Amino acid sequence: MRINSFSDVSLRLLMVLSAMPDDELPTTRELAELVRTPYNHVTKAVLRMRQMGLVEAIRGRSGGVRISAAGRVATVGRVLRELDDHRDVAECETDMGDCPLVQDCGLRGALNHAREAFYASLDDVTIQALAVKPAIGPVPVTLSTVRPD
């Protein structure tokens, strides 16, 4: 399975926001830089995730975006299902006409079943579990006079 670029950006944003302290409110411009994605794509993703209840957007001079409590516990499977455009995996209908096998084909159903299995495999993975927390504080280093083999 392959997720679309909008879903990819949305998941990356949720992961970045989940790793941030609650009092940190990055702007959409800052988020765009963090996930290396054009600003207009990030603003659309933030708007959609806000509609889904996954993020909160705080307006004003000291405003920004933060992940909501629901966003932290949301599963990747749920997020991808909601962001999915629900087009058939197989292109049975094209500009050149319908596939001649469209009436008697089992491929469309099998591929849609596979897509749901893909999402189901991600139903146990929460956004918070994917967030990479930066190391805080000093990192202990042990120096040795013995050379490794």
Side-chain angles (χ1 to χ4, degrees), residues 18 37 65 68 87 109:
S18 183
T37 303
V65 180
S68 68
R87 286 187 285 164

Side-chain angles (χ1 to χ4, degrees), residues 119-132:
Y119 295 150
S121 72
L122 297 169
D123 281 339
D124 293 330
V125 181
T126 63
I127 297 299
Q128 192 164 3
L130 295 177
V132 177

Side-chain angles (χ1 to χ4, degrees), residues 39-50:
Y39 171 74
N40 60 334
H41 296 325
V42 169
T43 57
K44 289 176 186 176
V46 167
L47 175 63
R48 180 69 176 109
M49 288 185 297
R50 197 182 71 144

Side-chain angles (χ1 to χ4, degrees), residues 42-140:
V42 169
T43 57
K44 289 176 186 176
V46 167
L47 175 63
R48 180 69 176 109
M49 288 185 297
R50 197 182 71 144
Q51 292 168 344
M52 293 168 60
L54 302 175
V55 300
E56 300 169 350
I58 292 85
R59 293 182 180 256
R61 183 179 178 117
S62 59
V65 180
R66 73 173 155 225
I67 193 163
S68 68
R72 288 188 190 283
V73 298
T75 67
V76 176
R78 175 194 157 216
V79 172
L80 289 176
R81 275 186 196 89
E82 287 192 46
L83 294 176
D84 190 354
D85 58 12
H86 300 288
R87 286 187 285 164
D88 285 327
V89 178
E91 292 190 25
C92 301
E93 300 157 4
T94 66
D95 294 339
M96 297 177 60
D98 293 351
C99 171
L101 304 174
V102 74
Q103 298 301 322
D104 299 318
C105 178
L107 182 60
R108 176 188 276 178
L111 291 175
N112 287 336
H113 180 73
R115 174 175 42 202
E116 180 51 37
F118 171 72
Y119 295 150
S121 72
L122 297 169
D123 281 339
D124 293 330
V125 181
T126 63
I127 297 299
Q128 192 164 3
L130 295 177
V132 177
K133 307 273 188 217
I136 298 174
V139 177

